[in-house]
Amino acid sequence: MGITKVDDADGLDAAIEEARRHDPKVIVEALLRGREIECGVLEFEDGPRASVPAEIPPVEAHSFYDFEAKYIDSASGIVPAPLTEEQTRRVQELAVRAFDATSCEGLVRADFFLGEDGEFVINEINTMPGFTPISMYPRMWQESGVSYPELVDLLVQAALRRPTGLR
């Protein structure tokens, strides 16, 4: 919501106004060309671990993976992502590093672009990813060998291990 892809400077003012309809703070960033790769991170008793990654393929009816493509048209990701073993290890490592660097707890879904140069660039960290039947987070963990009930149990266990109060 509030995200607009702009192809030239003429569309920037309208895109900023659309974003301001949703929040007074606006981020403008350069377009990154590449594949959209997601990776789940889950806090286990011995520390955070990454799921198998998923890929969000281009949606032909949309210029990018926007709200409508994700939630209205139910664009579905590919789990596991068709990556090399080295790329899989790298994105899993980066996802866990992002989790640690931002002092996350419990779970995150780390979203990346895999650039044409072969490098991963983090796009965002979702600290409360979706849990619907079409959501990528539980699908990635299912493919990683953690069922939905086990996933919920692991999240409850992680929450119970945390101390209360400010950290």
Side-chain angles (χ1 to χ4, degrees):
M1 309 260 333
I3 299 173
T4 305
K5 181 181 174 188
V6 176
D7 294 315
D8 56 49
D10 293 339
L12 189 57
D13 288 340
I16 290 171
E17 288 309 310
E18 170 60 18
R20 285 191 176 137
R21 287 185 48 235
H22 301 276
D23 196 303
K25 295 178 185 174
V26 174
I27 296 174
V28 177
E29 58 187 8
L31 174 69
L32 292 173
R33 298 205 186 279
R35 296 164 59 191
E36 294 191 42
I37 307 294
E38 301 181 345
C39 191
V41 179
L42 178 61
E43 185 180 348
F44 287 79
E45 192 168 352
D46 61 349
R49 295 185 209 160
S51 69
V52 298
E55 181 169 4
I56 305 301
V59 181
E60 290 184 24
H62 301 273
S63 63
F64 68 104
Y65 194 47
D66 62 1
F67 182 86
E68 187 173 312
K70 188 173 187 177
Y71 296 107
I72 307 302
D73 293 345
S74 299
S76 186
I78 302 165
V79 183
L83 299 170
T84 67
E85 287 182 31
E86 180 181 327
Q87 289 171 323
T88 296
R89 278 193 304 276
R90 180 70 177 143
V91 76
Q92 288 172 323
E93 173 194 342
L94 290 170
V96 170
R97 285 178 60 192
F99 181 94
D100 287 338
T102 53
S103 301
C104 289
E105 296 177 331
L107 75 161
V108 302
R109 191 191 74 231
D111 298 350
F112 297 86
F113 289 108
L114 175 56
E116 295 169 345
D117 61 359
E119 295 294 321
F120 286 99
V121 176
I122 193 156
N123 177 39
E124 63 181 332
I125 298 171
N126 292 278
T127 57
M128 193 64 252
F131 257 78
T132 69
I134 64 167
S135 296
M136 297 306 294
Y137 190 85
R139 288 182 57 205
M140 288 185 288
W141 280 107
Q142 179 71 42
E143 189 67 29
S144 300
V146 178
S147 70
Y148 191 87
E150 291 170 314
L151 181 59
V152 172
D153 185 59
L154 286 166
L155 287 167
V156 170
Q157 290 177 39
L160 291 172
R161 283 192 303 274
R162 281 195 291 280
T164 59
L166 298 175
R167 293 181 281 293

